[in-house]
Amino acid sequence: MGEGKRVALGMSGGVDSSVSVALLQRHGYEVLGVTCVFQHNVAARAAVAGAREVCDAFGVEHVAFECAEAFERCVVAPFVSDYAAGLTPSPCVGCNARAKLPALFEAAAAHGCERVATGHYARVAQMQDTGRFAVLQALDHRKDQSYMLSQLSQEQLSRLVLPLGGMTKLEVRAIAADLGLAVADTPDSQDICFAPRGYRELLAERGVESEPGDIVDARGNVVGRHTGLADYTVGQRKGIGVAGPEPYYVLEKRVSDNALVIGTADESLIRAVVVSGLNWQAIEPHATSLDAMVKLRYRSEPCPCIITFMDVCCARVDLCSPQPATAPGQHAVFYQGATVLGGGVIEEVAR
């Protein structure tokens, strides 16, 4: 309960952050609505206006917080450079830890707020045995965003409030309708926020050239031509442009010789990944190995694995059963039950 505590709530003007205002107030918090201005465009101005309208309706203070420079440096520029290097980045994971939460904490400090809050579907808990903080999966597994918060630090988690973690999306929309909020039925956004016209157009705008090259099969035979490595995603099945007796999948984007490697469903399965940049939440780094569950993509199902630590920041993850292809640049997030143990960036994939 937040009786008498002041909290800075990240607000986009959508249904989740709008309902979060009401829930935080019900739990005794004094709410400051904060709209982080990550880019200067029509969408950003609309978000500020929408969030301010919601805050006025609830009688809470609202501020627009300028953080476009940090967002460009920490999110957009790394996304572009990673794609240019043949990776498939997951920008939202890094954004939460290195842009969105730091901006909210900065706004909180400037306006006398003890805590920060967001409308993510996840929960935060403190481990009874160690005192460490960790993200837990949301009760609504269809909307769970714990994967997206796996890079948050202990300091960030210790002051983070997630009012929607114990609710379903249907419940949130029902509350919004009861409150008469205009955003009650607004569809969820599916786009990368900084690339509303698609990442290919963003890459073109940033001067990332995508040269055509050979498509090769898993044995190295040239079977076609691709339009540019940035136009494809590891695991992609449709739109490759090569016909065969069974469907082909993208296995690898090989930057060294500008080759797109494809193969059958069986050839696309992977057995291990190497993960770097590890951030641990519920546990401290282990010296040897650890049994856990791992999600290799945001929407993938967790699978059993054995984590073998190579050093504090790097580990090999052996999968207990073959899994669909994932790509270097994606995040591997480790779980025990509903609890996030930690996670990092996939550097290598073993098929």
Side-chain angles (χ1 to χ4, degrees), residues 223-264:
V223 293
R225 295 283 290 176
H226 66 77
T227 57
L229 294 182
D231 295 337
Y232 304 85
T233 301
V234 171
Q236 176 180 332
R237 183 172 71 86
K238 297 181 179 180
I240 298 173
V242 176
E246 57 182 301
Y248 282 119
Y249 294 77
V250 175
L251 307 185
E252 181 184 355
K253 299 191 295 184
R254 203 163 63 203
V255 176
S256 60
D257 58 354
N258 193 33
L260 186 73
V261 184
I262 65 173
T264 64

Short mmCIF file of all heavy atoms in Angstrom, two decimals, residues 223-264:
data_model
loop_
_atom_site.label_atom_id
_atom_site.label_comp_id
_atom_site.label_asym_id
_atom_site.label_seq_id
_atom_site.Cartn_x
_atom_site.Cartn_y
_atom_site.Cartn_z
N VAL A 223 21.25 -21.44 -53.81
CA VAL A 223 19.92 -21.82 -54.30
C VAL A 223 19.08 -20.61 -54.71
O VAL A 223 17.92 -20.75 -55.11
CB VAL A 223 19.15 -22.64 -53.22
CG1 VAL A 223 19.82 -23.98 -52.99
CG2 VAL A 223 19.03 -21.85 -51.91
N GLY A 224 19.63 -19.40 -54.61
CA GLY A 224 18.87 -18.22 -55.00
C GLY A 224 19.59 -16.95 -54.62
O GLY A 224 20.78 -16.98 -54.26
N ARG A 225 18.88 -15.83 -54.72
CA ARG A 225 19.42 -14.51 -54.38
C ARG A 225 18.50 -13.81 -53.39
O ARG A 225 17.27 -13.89 -53.52
CB ARG A 225 19.55 -13.66 -55.64
CG ARG A 225 20.56 -14.18 -56.65
CD ARG A 225 21.99 -13.87 -56.25
NE ARG A 225 22.29 -12.43 -56.35
CZ ARG A 225 23.45 -11.89 -55.97
NH1 ARG A 225 24.40 -12.66 -55.45
NH2 ARG A 225 23.66 -10.60 -56.09
N HIS A 226 19.09 -13.14 -52.43
CA HIS A 226 18.30 -12.36 -51.49
C HIS A 226 18.40 -10.88 -51.82
O HIS A 226 19.30 -10.44 -52.54
CB HIS A 226 18.71 -12.63 -50.04
CG HIS A 226 20.11 -12.17 -49.69
ND1 HIS A 226 20.42 -10.85 -49.47
CD2 HIS A 226 21.26 -12.87 -49.51
CE1 HIS A 226 21.70 -10.74 -49.16
NE2 HIS A 226 22.24 -11.95 -49.19
N THR A 227 17.48 -10.09 -51.28
CA THR A 227 17.41 -8.65 -51.58
C THR A 227 18.23 -7.81 -50.63
O THR A 227 18.33 -6.59 -50.80
CB THR A 227 15.95 -8.18 -51.53
OG1 THR A 227 15.40 -8.48 -50.24
CG2 THR A 227 15.12 -8.87 -52.61
N GLY A 228 18.79 -8.43 -49.58
CA GLY A 228 19.53 -7.71 -48.56
C GLY A 228 19.26 -8.35 -47.21
O GLY A 228 18.10 -8.62 -46.87
N LEU A 229 20.29 -8.61 -46.42
CA LEU A 229 20.13 -9.35 -45.17
C LEU A 229 19.16 -8.68 -44.21
O LEU A 229 18.45 -9.35 -43.45
CB LEU A 229 21.49 -9.55 -44.48
CG LEU A 229 22.49 -10.43 -45.22
CD1 LEU A 229 23.77 -10.56 -44.40
CD2 LEU A 229 21.90 -11.80 -45.50
N ALA A 230 19.08 -7.36 -44.23
CA ALA A 230 18.19 -6.65 -43.31
C ALA A 230 16.72 -6.91 -43.62
O ALA A 230 15.85 -6.61 -42.79
CB ALA A 230 18.47 -5.15 -43.35
N ASP A 231 16.43 -7.45 -44.80
CA ASP A 231 15.04 -7.72 -45.17
C ASP A 231 14.51 -9.04 -44.61
O ASP A 231 13.35 -9.39 -44.83
CB ASP A 231 14.90 -7.76 -46.71
CG ASP A 231 15.18 -6.41 -47.35
OD1 ASP A 231 15.04 -5.40 -46.65
OD2 ASP A 231 15.53 -6.39 -48.54
N TYR A 232 15.35 -9.78 -43.87
CA TYR A 232 14.98 -11.11 -43.40
C TYR A 232 15.20 -11.23 -41.89
O TYR A 232 15.98 -10.50 -41.30
CB TYR A 232 15.80 -12.18 -44.13
CG TYR A 232 15.66 -12.11 -45.64
CD1 TYR A 232 16.47 -11.24 -46.38
CD2 TYR A 232 14.73 -12.88 -46.32
CE1 TYR A 232 16.35 -11.15 -47.75
CE2 TYR A 232 14.60 -12.79 -47.70
CZ TYR A 232 15.41 -11.93 -48.41
OH TYR A 232 15.29 -11.83 -49.78
N THR A 233 14.51 -12.21 -41.31
CA THR A 233 14.62 -12.48 -39.88
C THR A 233 14.89 -13.97 -39.69
O THR A 233 14.27 -14.81 -40.34
CB THR A 233 13.32 -12.11 -39.15
OG1 THR A 233 13.05 -10.72 -39.36
CG2 THR A 233 13.43 -12.38 -37.66
N VAL A 234 15.78 -14.30 -38.77
CA VAL A 234 16.05 -15.71 -38.47
C VAL A 234 14.76 -16.36 -37.98
O VAL A 234 14.06 -15.82 -37.13
CB VAL A 234 17.16 -15.84 -37.43
CG1 VAL A 234 17.29 -17.29 -36.96
CG2 VAL A 234 18.48 -15.35 -38.01
N GLY A 235 14.45 -17.52 -38.54
CA GLY A 235 13.21 -18.22 -38.23
C GLY A 235 12.10 -17.94 -39.21
O GLY A 235 11.06 -18.62 -39.21
N GLN A 236 12.28 -16.94 -40.07
CA GLN A 236 11.27 -16.58 -41.08
C GLN A 236 11.01 -17.75 -42.03
O GLN A 236 11.93 -18.44 -42.46
CB GLN A 236 11.77 -15.37 -41.85
CG GLN A 236 10.89 -14.91 -43.00
CD GLN A 236 11.48 -13.70 -43.70
OE1 GLN A 236 12.21 -12.91 -43.12
NE2 GLN A 236 11.18 -13.56 -44.98
N ARG A 237 9.73 -17.97 -42.37
CA ARG A 237 9.37 -19.07 -43.28
C ARG A 237 8.84 -18.56 -44.61
O ARG A 237 9.17 -19.10 -45.65
CB ARG A 237 8.34 -19.98 -42.61
CG ARG A 237 7.97 -21.20 -43.47
CD ARG A 237 7.10 -22.16 -42.69
NE ARG A 237 5.76 -21.63 -42.47
CZ ARG A 237 4.75 -21.75 -43.34
NH1 ARG A 237 4.95 -22.33 -44.52
NH2 ARG A 237 3.55 -21.26 -43.05
N LYS A 238 8.03 -17.51 -44.57
CA LYS A 238 7.42 -17.02 -45.80
C LYS A 238 8.23 -15.87 -46.40
O LYS A 238 8.92 -15.15 -45.70
CB LYS A 238 5.99 -16.56 -45.52
CG LYS A 238 5.08 -17.69 -45.05
CD LYS A 238 3.66 -17.19 -44.82
CE LYS A 238 2.74 -18.31 -44.38
NZ LYS A 238 1.35 -17.85 -44.16
N GLY A 239 8.10 -15.72 -47.73
CA GLY A 239 8.72 -14.58 -48.40
C GLY A 239 10.20 -14.72 -48.66
O GLY A 239 10.87 -13.73 -48.97
N ILE A 240 10.74 -15.93 -48.56
CA ILE A 240 12.17 -16.12 -48.82
C ILE A 240 12.45 -16.12 -50.32
O ILE A 240 13.48 -15.65 -50.78
CB ILE A 240 12.66 -17.43 -48.17
CG1 ILE A 240 12.48 -17.35 -46.65
CG2 ILE A 240 14.12 -17.69 -48.51
CD1 ILE A 240 12.78 -18.65 -45.93
N GLY A 241 11.52 -16.68 -51.10
CA GLY A 241 11.67 -16.67 -52.55
C GLY A 241 12.35 -17.88 -53.12
O GLY A 241 12.79 -17.85 -54.27
N VAL A 242 12.46 -18.94 -52.33
CA VAL A 242 13.06 -20.19 -52.81
C VAL A 242 12.06 -21.31 -52.57
O VAL A 242 11.59 -21.51 -51.45
CB VAL A 242 14.38 -20.50 -52.08
CG1 VAL A 242 14.93 -21.85 -52.55
CG2 VAL A 242 15.40 -19.41 -52.33
N ALA A 243 11.72 -22.05 -53.64
CA ALA A 243 10.78 -23.15 -53.52
C ALA A 243 11.53 -24.46 -53.31
O ALA A 243 12.67 -24.62 -53.76
CB ALA A 243 9.91 -23.25 -54.77
N GLY A 244 10.88 -25.39 -52.61
CA GLY A 244 11.49 -26.68 -52.37
C GLY A 244 10.44 -27.72 -52.04
O GLY A 244 9.24 -27.40 -51.93
N PRO A 245 10.84 -28.97 -51.85
CA PRO A 245 9.88 -30.02 -51.54
C PRO A 245 9.21 -29.83 -50.18
O PRO A 245 8.14 -30.36 -49.93
CB PRO A 245 10.73 -31.30 -51.57
CG PRO A 245 12.13 -30.82 -51.34
CD PRO A 245 12.20 -29.48 -52.00
N GLU A 246 9.83 -29.08 -49.29
CA GLU A 246 9.24 -28.72 -48.00
C GLU A 246 9.63 -27.28 -47.68
O GLU A 246 10.58 -26.74 -48.26
CB GLU A 246 9.68 -29.67 -46.90
CG GLU A 246 11.18 -29.78 -46.69
CD GLU A 246 11.53 -30.79 -45.62
OE1 GLU A 246 11.08 -30.60 -44.47
OE2 GLU A 246 12.26 -31.77 -45.93
N PRO A 247 8.89 -26.62 -46.78
CA PRO A 247 9.16 -25.20 -46.52
C PRO A 247 10.59 -24.95 -46.03
O PRO A 247 11.15 -25.75 -45.29
CB PRO A 247 8.14 -24.85 -45.43
CG PRO A 247 7.05 -25.86 -45.58
CD PRO A 247 7.74 -27.11 -46.02
N TYR A 248 11.14 -23.83 -46.48
CA TYR A 248 12.45 -23.39 -46.01
C TYR A 248 12.29 -22.33 -44.92
O TYR A 248 11.33 -21.55 -44.92
CB TYR A 248 13.27 -22.79 -47.16
CG TYR A 248 13.88 -23.82 -48.08
CD1 TYR A 248 13.55 -23.84 -49.44
CD2 TYR A 248 14.81 -24.73 -47.61
CE1 TYR A 248 14.12 -24.77 -50.29
CE2 TYR A 248 15.39 -25.66 -48.47
CZ TYR A 248 15.03 -25.69 -49.80
OH TYR A 248 15.60 -26.61 -50.64
N TYR A 249 13.27 -22.29 -44.01
CA TYR A 249 13.34 -21.30 -42.94
C TYR A 249 14.68 -20.58 -43.04
O TYR A 249 15.68 -21.17 -43.47
CB TYR A 249 13.22 -21.96 -41.57
CG TYR A 249 11.89 -22.60 -41.28
CD1 TYR A 249 11.56 -23.84 -41.84
CD2 TYR A 249 10.96 -21.98 -40.46
CE1 TYR A 249 10.33 -24.43 -41.58
CE2 TYR A 249 9.73 -22.57 -40.19
CZ TYR A 249 9.43 -23.80 -40.76
OH TYR A 249 8.21 -24.38 -40.49
N VAL A 250 14.69 -19.32 -42.61
CA VAL A 250 15.96 -18.61 -42.50
C VAL A 250 16.70 -19.13 -41.28
O VAL A 250 16.19 -19.09 -40.16
CB VAL A 250 15.75 -17.08 -42.39
CG1 VAL A 250 17.09 -16.38 -42.15
CG2 VAL A 250 15.09 -16.54 -43.65
N LEU A 251 17.92 -19.63 -41.49
CA LEU A 251 18.73 -20.17 -40.41
C LEU A 251 19.76 -19.17 -39.88
O LEU A 251 20.08 -19.17 -38.69
CB LEU A 251 19.49 -21.43 -40.87
CG LEU A 251 18.68 -22.56 -41.50
CD1 LEU A 251 19.59 -23.75 -41.76
CD2 LEU A 251 17.52 -22.95 -40.61
N GLU A 252 20.28 -18.33 -40.77
CA GLU A 252 21.37 -17.45 -40.38
C GLU A 252 21.51 -16.31 -41.38
O GLU A 252 21.27 -16.50 -42.58
CB GLU A 252 22.68 -18.26 -40.33
CG GLU A 252 23.91 -17.48 -39.90
CD GLU A 252 25.18 -18.31 -39.98
OE1 GLU A 252 25.09 -19.52 -40.28
OE2 GLU A 252 26.26 -17.73 -39.75
N LYS A 253 21.87 -15.13 -40.88
CA LYS A 253 22.25 -14.01 -41.75
C LYS A 253 23.76 -13.84 -41.62
O LYS A 253 24.24 -13.27 -40.64
CB LYS A 253 21.49 -12.75 -41.33
CG LYS A 253 20.00 -12.88 -41.44
CD LYS A 253 19.26 -11.56 -41.29
CE LYS A 253 19.39 -10.95 -39.93
NZ LYS A 253 18.59 -9.70 -39.80
N ARG A 254 24.48 -14.35 -42.59
CA ARG A 254 25.94 -14.43 -42.49
C ARG A 254 26.57 -13.19 -43.10
O ARG A 254 26.71 -13.08 -44.33
CB ARG A 254 26.44 -15.70 -43.18
CG ARG A 254 27.79 -16.18 -42.69
CD ARG A 254 28.04 -17.62 -43.09
NE ARG A 254 28.08 -17.78 -44.55
CZ ARG A 254 27.84 -18.92 -45.17
NH1 ARG A 254 27.52 -20.00 -44.47
NH2 ARG A 254 27.93 -18.99 -46.48
N VAL A 255 26.96 -12.28 -42.26
CA VAL A 255 27.46 -10.98 -42.70
C VAL A 255 28.82 -11.12 -43.39
O VAL A 255 29.14 -10.35 -44.30
CB VAL A 255 27.55 -10.01 -41.51
CG1 VAL A 255 28.16 -8.68 -41.94
CG2 VAL A 255 26.17 -9.79 -40.90
N SER A 256 29.62 -12.11 -42.98
CA SER A 256 30.99 -12.23 -43.50
C SER A 256 31.03 -12.32 -45.02
O SER A 256 31.93 -11.77 -45.66
CB SER A 256 31.68 -13.44 -42.88
OG SER A 256 30.96 -14.64 -43.19
N ASP A 257 30.07 -13.03 -45.63
CA ASP A 257 30.02 -13.13 -47.09
C ASP A 257 28.65 -12.72 -47.64
O ASP A 257 28.32 -13.05 -48.78
CB ASP A 257 30.39 -14.53 -47.56
CG ASP A 257 29.48 -15.62 -46.98
OD1 ASP A 257 28.64 -15.28 -46.11
OD2 ASP A 257 29.60 -16.79 -47.38
N ASN A 258 27.87 -12.01 -46.82
CA ASN A 258 26.56 -11.49 -47.24
C ASN A 258 25.65 -12.60 -47.75
O ASN A 258 24.93 -12.44 -48.74
CB ASN A 258 26.73 -10.41 -48.32
CG ASN A 258 25.44 -9.62 -48.55
OD1 ASN A 258 24.66 -9.40 -47.62
ND2 ASN A 258 25.20 -9.21 -49.78
N ALA A 259 25.66 -13.75 -47.05
CA ALA A 259 24.85 -14.89 -47.46
C ALA A 259 23.68 -15.10 -46.51
O ALA A 259 23.81 -14.94 -45.29
CB ALA A 259 25.70 -16.15 -47.51
N LEU A 260 22.53 -15.44 -47.07
CA LEU A 260 21.36 -15.81 -46.30
C LEU A 260 21.28 -17.34 -46.30
O LEU A 260 21.13 -17.96 -47.35
CB LEU A 260 20.09 -15.22 -46.92
CG LEU A 260 18.80 -15.42 -46.13
CD1 LEU A 260 18.80 -14.51 -44.90
CD2 LEU A 260 17.58 -15.14 -47.00
N VAL A 261 21.42 -17.95 -45.11
CA VAL A 261 21.43 -19.40 -44.99
C VAL A 261 20.02 -19.88 -44.67
O VAL A 261 19.39 -19.40 -43.73
CB VAL A 261 22.40 -19.87 -43.89
CG1 VAL A 261 22.47 -21.40 -43.86
CG2 VAL A 261 23.79 -19.27 -44.12
N ILE A 262 19.52 -20.84 -45.45
CA ILE A 262 18.18 -21.36 -45.24
C ILE A 262 18.25 -22.88 -45.08
O ILE A 262 19.24 -23.52 -45.44
CB ILE A 262 17.23 -21.00 -46.40
CG1 ILE A 262 17.67 -21.67 -47.71
CG2 ILE A 262 17.13 -19.49 -46.57
CD1 ILE A 262 16.67 -21.49 -48.86
N GLY A 263 17.18 -23.45 -44.53
CA GLY A 263 17.13 -24.89 -44.35
C GLY A 263 15.73 -25.34 -44.02
O GLY A 263 14.79 -24.53 -43.91
N THR A 264 15.56 -26.63 -43.85
CA THR A 264 14.26 -27.21 -43.54
C THR A 264 13.92 -26.98 -42.07
O THR A 264 14.75 -26.49 -41.29
CB THR A 264 14.27 -28.71 -43.83
OG1 THR A 264 15.21 -29.35 -42.94
CG2 THR A 264 14.66 -28.98 -45.27
#
